[in-house]
Amino acid sequence: MWFIFAVAAASCFGLRGILYHWTSQRPIDRNLLLLGVYLSGTLITVAGNIFIGQSWTTEALFGVLMGTFSFVANASMYKGYAVGKASIVALFTGLPPLVVMIVAYFLWGEGLTGWQFIAFFIVLAGLLLVKYSQDLKLDQLKGIQWGILTMLFFGFTDVSVKQATLSGASTLPVLTVMFTTGSILFGISWAIARKNAAKSLDKEKSLERWSVKKTIVWGMFVGITNAVGMILIFPAFRDGITGIVSAIVAMNVAFVILYARFYLKENWTKREITGLSMAFVGILILRIAS
């Protein structure tokens, strides 16, 4: 059953990635959008718990850690989509299992098999080919930097989710704390950015953006995919093996890569195709061998 939850979560996060990229190409305030995403998650989990009635315990405070890591990961992913190639940034969103397995080894003694080590080096080789592709420009290198941050902090988010399940935290209360924490952080970021824009030449540019209401409403719509994905991932981590659950969920990268290739018509060099293929094969090996 946990496998079904993991696959469903991957589908939700894949749709989230596509919506993030589409939105990043519009004149929209990133922090305000993501504030809407996390407000949506807060409302969904609070409403859900009103009917289900899961108990609130001190373990729900793991949501603060989850919300902080998720804040950095989502902000980095959105920024990466805005400045780099969607397919390359999406690739890094598929690599948190590498972070998860390394951290899980030290925290919970979950060892790596020979195939997992092989997959690790295949993925690294693929990333090197992508990184040193002659076709990459400075803005795409910046996208890779944001992609690395996305990889690390989505990995840390998965680890904190697993730790929350091990502590016995109830799903909806801990997710409510997580989304509330993210809402506060993005709200502060938006307020600071707005204040700085009012003092600079960016004020005229900010007037061209979507209205506050329109941005919040759209962010709350996008937030449905994020909230449902997080709700689904919790039982998957609770009942499944940390590494394989993270690897399955990371397959959401396939949705964005296919979207980038067939809808955005992104052109790939032979070296990029080879690198992306190697990294994708490495993720598949992680899924099978974990």
Side-chain angles (χ1 to χ4, degrees), residues 196-213:
N196 291 336
K199 297 179 180 179
S200 66
L201 297 177
D202 291 336
K203 186 174 182 179
E204 292 184 4
K205 183 178 180 181
S206 65
L207 295 176
E208 301 173 359
R209 294 175 175 172
W210 286 12
S211 67
V212 171
K213 180 180 179 180

Side-chain angles (χ1 to χ4, degrees), residues 155-167:
F156 295 156
T157 302
D158 283 354
V159 170
S160 59
V161 170
K162 179 66 175 184
Q163 186 60 56
T165 63
L166 291 175
S167 71

Side-chain angles (χ1 to χ4, degrees), residues 72-241:
V72 178
N74 278 276
S76 299
M77 178 171 64
Y78 189 91
K79 180 67 175 180
Y81 282 140
V83 302
K85 275 192 173 182
S87 55
I88 293 177
V89 175
L91 173 64
F92 282 94
T93 69
L95 300 180
L98 298 178
V99 178
V100 172
M101 284 190 294
I102 292 172
V103 177
Y105 172 78
F106 289 102
L107 286 183
W108 309 303
E110 294 187 1
L112 301 179
T113 66
W115 280 108
Q116 289 172 337
F117 275 113
I118 292 174
F120 180 85
F121 287 110
I122 290 176
V123 170
L124 286 184
L127 291 179
L128 287 175
L129 283 176
V130 172
K131 181 176 180 181
Y132 291 108
S133 171
Q134 296 175 355
D135 185 53
L136 290 179
K137 300 180 177 63
L138 180 60
D139 61 342
Q140 293 165 352
L141 288 175
K142 289 180 181 178
I144 286 178
Q145 293 169 356
W146 290 113
I148 291 174
L149 285 176
T150 302
M151 173 189 70
L152 289 174
F153 282 91
F154 270 134
F156 295 156
T157 302
D158 283 354
V159 170
S160 59
V161 170
K162 179 66 175 184
Q163 186 60 56
T165 63
L166 291 175
S167 71
S170 298
T171 302
L172 295 179
V174 73
L175 286 179
T176 298
V177 175
M178 169 191 163
F179 286 125
T180 301
T181 300
S183 298
I184 293 172
L185 291 174
F186 279 117
I188 293 173
S189 298
W190 172 64
I192 293 174
R194 188 176 186 181
K195 182 178 179 181
N196 291 336
K199 297 179 180 179
S200 66
L201 297 177
D202 291 336
K203 186 174 182 179
E204 292 184 4
K205 183 178 180 181
S206 65
L207 295 176
E208 301 173 359
R209 294 175 175 172
W210 286 12
S211 67
V212 171
K213 180 180 179 180
K214 183 178 180 180
T215 304
I216 285 286
V217 170
W218 177 249
M220 294 184 72
F221 173 76
V222 176
I224 295 173
T225 63
N226 191 48
V228 174
M230 289 303 301
I231 291 172
L232 291 170
I233 203 176
F234 230 80
F237 270 119
R238 178 178 288 116
D239 301 326
I241 300 171

